[in-house]
Amino acid sequence: AHYTSEANILKLIRPLFLDELYERFEKVKKNKKQLAEFHKELSTLHFLDPACGSGNFLIIAYRELRILELEILKILHTESVLDISSIIWCDVDQFHGIEVEEFPAQIAQVAMWLIDHQMNMMISEYFGQYFVRLPLKKSADIIHANSLQIPWEDVISSDKLTYILGNPPFIGKQLQNKEQKEDMSKIFGKVQGAGVLDYVTAWYLKASKYIQGTNIKVAFVSTNSISQGEQVGILWKELFSNYGIKIHFAHQTFNWSNEAKSNAAVHVVIVGFASFDTTNKRIFEYEDIKSDAHEKIVKNINPYLVEGDDIVVTKRNKPLLNNPSMLLGNMPNDGGFLMLTNEEKIELIQNEPLSDKYIKQLLGSVEFINNKLRWCLWLENLNPIDLKSMPLVKQRIENVKNTRLESSREATKKLAEYPTLFGEIRQPKTNYIIIPQVSSENREYIPIGYVNKDIIVNNRCSFIESEELFIFGIMTSKMHMIWTSYTCGRMKSDFNYSIGIVYNNYPFPKNVTEKHKSVVEEKAQNVLDIRASFNDCSLADLYDPLSMPPNLKKAHQELDKAVDNCYGTKSFKNDKERIEFLFGLYEEYLG
């Protein structure tokens, strides 16, 4: 079990219920009648953690409830109490959990008795009267079961429950086992695109179904992938459209660690929601993933966990405005037999000099960003007579054919008929703008560049068949970067750029004056010129946060300002203002 830290648990339970309870306590503490009613109400609250592990969320929630109860008792009972058992109304049977593993479930139940005993000792000390609940008549209701396979109504009725909370297992689609995939299928049914969702999203949907027509509030810890990329459009569109879910509070991405020996640290968010609206919406913002949060009161929280309307960015087949198309690079699907390292290229040409005219430089994300040389056999115009004098090339082609024939996919088997060609060919006919599909989250800007049409781009990059400096300037600006950081998916924590989600939905500026356009082009060219002056450096070197040359950083800042001006006279204090503006503009463009 991962022992979630107390500090992280409090990040969830405070905005979910604790802050509100203390606010109410402050309002009624001078009126003993109202305070007594409030005390009674505390004893009727019920909590469910539907993936409770060894019970940490339930333990801390119960402890905090008992601490509040003690504050109430201090005011209500200023004189000695004959029997303190009669004034303690909060008990462990208000807490419920579901856990798929038997041993953690048993730990959770025992741990709840232990924290109950500790709180009883605290009250005993204050009132000077020893109190212990023996024999144990009540217990936390911890069920050993698969939370996604049983009705939660069997654990506790929705008309009795007050709060759902916890930290369900994250597990991306690639890591889900057969049983977990069956769980996802059971919960999501025919929801289109659900196959890409993380396992944790099943708890979001099941909770949303369970709380319909109730005042139950929910809060879960999740990987930040549920508020980025294509998962947003699938999950939140379903929750908004079919279940009327409203987000009440959210912690934006921060670093989540636990207290287990093998301390796991991941980038997470906390989302609090219900099936009804509230005017008291709160966003907890972080300057970086390791910093402390600062709270912001907002009118509405969108699924990207920033202020804005409940919009989701879904895949589009073409750009939102009339901008040049972006395409994915060529997909080899060759088993690696058309690929050449620099050493293999030299050796092949030495043995078969004729092969030189069929070898071209190949660029993927790694090669482009790190300035690494890689080559490929590009045999679109292969002369059959030439092939007879190149047995090594011929053998590679034979290997491509065999590899494709051995595939389980029928489409790949059909490609065996054309073993000299890449599986999918989309090579631009002109020089082009290249965008790496995967890029480090640590860079302030994703390195984007221009490439000669004779260099082959593979499917680890996307490209725009254009040499327009204005397009390059917009694409390499802070505005586009912040849009990318919120809407793209992630590979681990790195940016995983999507054409259908990021580029095709990006709200380019409309009706840009020639003056503003020419300034963007000038500043964009300056960025390229400064890059070129460091001809011995890779883009990885130039865009490393620690080693980025000051003149390059300044050039980018000037370009950022020029791009901002294209969107009007508004100035942006920070990235949060930028993304809120862009989401508003996106919604406006959709009409």
Side-chain angles (χ1 to χ4, degrees):
H2 292 293
Y3 300 92
T4 306
S5 71
E6 181 177 325
N8 281 337
I9 293 173
L10 289 170
K11 285 180 180 178
L12 183 148
I13 68 173
R14 279 175 177 155
L16 177 63
F17 68 90
L18 202 56
D19 291 345
E20 181 184 356
L21 292 181
Y22 270 97
E23 283 175 16
R24 292 180 60 196
F25 169 67
E26 289 297 323
K27 288 179 181 178
V28 302
K29 69 180 183 181
K30 293 181 180 178
N31 183 318
K32 285 197 172 184
K33 182 181 178 182
Q34 290 181 351
L35 188 60
E37 290 172 353
F38 179 56
H39 183 204
K40 181 67 176 176
E41 185 181 332
L42 288 190
S43 69
T44 66
L45 301 178
H46 282 265
F47 301 77
L48 169 66
D49 184 342
C52 70
S54 29
N56 275 41
F57 278 81
L58 297 176
I59 292 163
I60 302 299
Y62 181 54
R63 184 196 70 188
E64 294 300 314
L65 193 68
R66 289 293 302 274
I67 290 172
L68 177 55
E69 182 181 43
L70 177 55
E71 294 303 310
I72 294 170
L73 295 178
K74 287 177 182 178
I75 298 172
L76 289 178
H77 302 278
T78 54
E79 299 176 359
S80 61
V81 179
L82 291 176
D83 179 13
I84 62 172
S85 67
S86 66
I87 65 171
I88 301 172
W89 295 347
C90 294
D91 210 334
V92 290
D93 62 346
Q94 294 173 243
F95 289 77
H96 313 263
I98 308 171
E99 170 52 38
V100 71
E101 299 288 345
E102 184 175 9
F103 187 55
Q106 292 175 350
I107 291 174
Q109 194 162 60
V110 174
M112 288 296 288
W113 278 321
L114 290 172
I115 193 66
D116 181 56
H117 179 68
Q118 288 178 358
M119 301 317 297
N120 291 338
M121 290 304 96
M122 182 185 292
I123 292 178
S124 296
E125 183 178 351
Y126 180 81
F127 284 100
Q129 184 183 142
Y130 183 70
F131 169 62
V132 61
R133 296 196 225 248
L134 286 175
L136 295 170
K137 294 180 179 179
K138 295 181 178 179
S139 65
D141 182 25
I142 309 297
I143 306 299
H144 168 218
N146 182 336
S147 180
L148 299 179
Q149 292 290 340
I150 66 166
W152 293 357
E153 287 281 354
D154 291 354
V155 181
I156 178 171
S157 171
S158 60
D159 58 8
K160 187 179 179 183
L161 188 64
T162 323
Y163 303 104
I164 299 172
L165 70 168
N167 179 14
F170 302 150
I171 312 178
K173 63 172 183 177
Q174 305 291 353
L175 300 176
Q176 293 166 18
N177 60 32
K178 182 182 176 183
E179 290 75 16
Q180 289 159 347
K181 288 185 184 296
E182 288 173 358
D183 290 342
M184 293 292 286
S185 179
K186 177 182 175 66
I187 300 301
F188 283 93
K190 296 181 180 179
V191 175
Q192 193 170 3
V196 307
L197 296 174
D198 289 353
Y199 195 45
V200 68
T201 59
W203 275 264
Y204 275 80
L205 182 52
K206 186 155 186 174
S208 297
K209 293 175 181 177
Y210 176 83
I211 65 177
Q212 291 300 295
T214 73
N215 290 319
I216 298 169
K217 296 179 181 180
V218 186
F220 289 135
V221 179
S222 318
T223 45
N224 60 357
S225 55
I226 71 154
S227 60
Q228 298 168 342
E230 63 182 332
Q231 292 202 46
V232 175
I234 298 164
L235 173 64
W236 290 101
K237 184 178 180 181
E238 177 72 7
L239 300 188
F240 288 160
S241 300
N242 295 328
Y243 300 96
I245 294 303
K246 296 295 292 186
I247 297 174
H248 287 197
F249 73 88
H251 278 265
Q252 294 175 343
T253 300
F254 66 97
N255 203 49
W256 174 275
S257 58
N258 62 70
E259 295 173 355
K261 286 185 179 179
S262 55
N263 189 313
V266 290
H267 297 170
V268 303
V269 295
I270 298 173
V271 183
F273 62 94
S275 61
F276 59 89
D277 206 356
T278 179
T279 55
N280 183 31
K281 295 188 175 79
R282 307 156 73 187
I283 295 177
F284 297 87
E285 298 179 339
Y286 295 79
E287 292 301 322
D288 61 67
I289 59 171
K290 295 182 180 179
S291 66
D292 293 328
H294 60 271
E295 184 180 342
K296 179 181 176 183
I297 305 299
V298 297
K299 292 181 179 178
N300 199 65
I301 304 171
N302 74 20
Y304 300 92
L305 309 187
V306 296
E307 185 171 13
D309 291 340
D310 293 337
I311 58 168
V312 294
V313 178
T314 55
K315 275 188 177 179
R316 295 178 62 89
N317 294 325
K318 59 182 182 178
L320 186 62
L321 301 180
N322 190 27
N323 299 311
S325 297
M326 180 184 288
L327 299 173
L328 194 63
N330 306 282
M331 182 183 288
N333 202 346
D334 66 330
F337 294 108
L338 296 178
M339 304 295 112
L340 298 164
T341 63
N342 207 46
E343 293 75 19
E344 287 172 333
K345 173 205 170 189
I346 293 168
E347 184 180 352
L348 183 58
I349 292 173
Q350 284 175 345
N351 290 310
E352 296 177 358
L354 193 56
S355 66
D356 189 19
K357 70 178 183 178
Y358 295 109
I359 295 174
K360 290 194 174 187
Q361 187 179 348
L362 180 78
L363 278 184
S365 295
V366 172
E367 293 80 16
F368 173 66
I369 293 172
N370 296 283
N371 204 21
K372 289 188 174 182
L373 282 176
R374 196 175 178 208
W375 309 86
C376 69
L377 288 166
W378 191 253
L379 305 171
E380 267 195 318
N381 299 311
L382 176 64
N383 187 322
I385 295 173
D386 288 347
L387 188 58
K388 290 181 179 179
S389 60
M390 296 187 295
L392 293 175
V393 173
K394 188 175 182 181
Q395 182 59 56
R396 283 178 173 267
I397 295 170
E398 195 67 40
N399 291 340
V400 173
K401 181 178 181 179
N402 293 334
T403 299
R404 290 174 178 175
L405 286 172
E406 290 167 4
S407 173
S408 58
R409 293 181 68 245
E410 285 302 316
T412 302
K413 286 182 179 179
K414 288 181 180 179
L415 290 176
E417 297 177 26
Y418 308 98
T420 59
L421 302 178
F422 275 35
E424 296 175 18
I425 296 176
R426 290 177 288 267
Q427 182 62 17
K429 300 294 189 291
T430 67
N431 296 345
Y432 54 95
I433 299 170
I434 189 169
I435 303 93
Q437 247 194 328
V438 178
S439 178
S440 170
E441 63 159 349
N442 296 322
R443 300 186 183 108
E444 193 172 348
Y445 302 91
I446 293 176
I448 294 172
Y450 281 111
V451 176
N452 187 283
K453 64 180 181 180
D454 292 327
I455 296 175
I456 305 303
V457 55
N458 78 4
N459 60 313
R460 300 296 182 187
C461 289
S462 304
F463 68 89
I464 301 171
E465 201 164 353
S466 170
E467 295 183 76
E468 216 181 318
L469 270 172
F470 179 72
I471 297 293
F472 170 80
I474 298 289
M475 294 290 293
T476 199
S477 71
K478 177 69 75 174
M479 288 293 274
H480 178 255
M481 186 65 209
I482 194 66
W483 175 263
T484 301
S485 67
Y486 274 86
T487 60
C488 80
R490 302 287 174 127
M491 185 170 286
K492 295 183 181 177
S493 60
D494 291 339
F495 298 124
N496 192 9
Y497 196 96
S498 162
I499 298 171
I501 297 284
V502 182
Y503 179 75
N504 285 348
N505 284 294
Y506 179 67
F508 276 78
K510 281 183 179 179
N511 305 319
V512 181
T513 65
E514 285 302 319
K515 179 182 176 182
H516 282 142
K517 187 174 181 179
S518 65
V519 174
V520 169
E521 291 170 344
E522 176 193 333
K523 301 304 181 184
Q525 185 61 56
N526 192 31
V527 168
L528 291 169
D529 291 343
I530 292 171
R531 281 188 194 175
S533 69
F534 293 93
N535 55 14
D536 56 340
C537 293
S538 68
L539 290 170
D541 298 326
L542 293 175
Y543 285 87
D544 185 294
L546 294 175
S547 60
M548 187 175 189
N551 60 340
L552 180 58
K553 187 161 189 170
K554 185 179 179 183
H556 267 287
Q557 289 169 346
E558 290 176 354
L559 175 58
D560 293 340
K561 187 176 179 180
V563 172
D564 287 354
N565 288 337
C566 292
Y567 285 95
T569 57
K570 179 177 172 62
S571 61
F572 301 99
K573 293 177 184 176
N574 52 41
D575 290 345
K576 296 294 188 300
E577 282 196 3
R578 277 195 171 90
I579 192 60
E580 288 166 5
F581 170 79
L582 286 171
F583 278 130
L585 194 60
Y586 171 74
E587 191 172 15
E588 180 186 317
Y589 286 0
L590 289 178

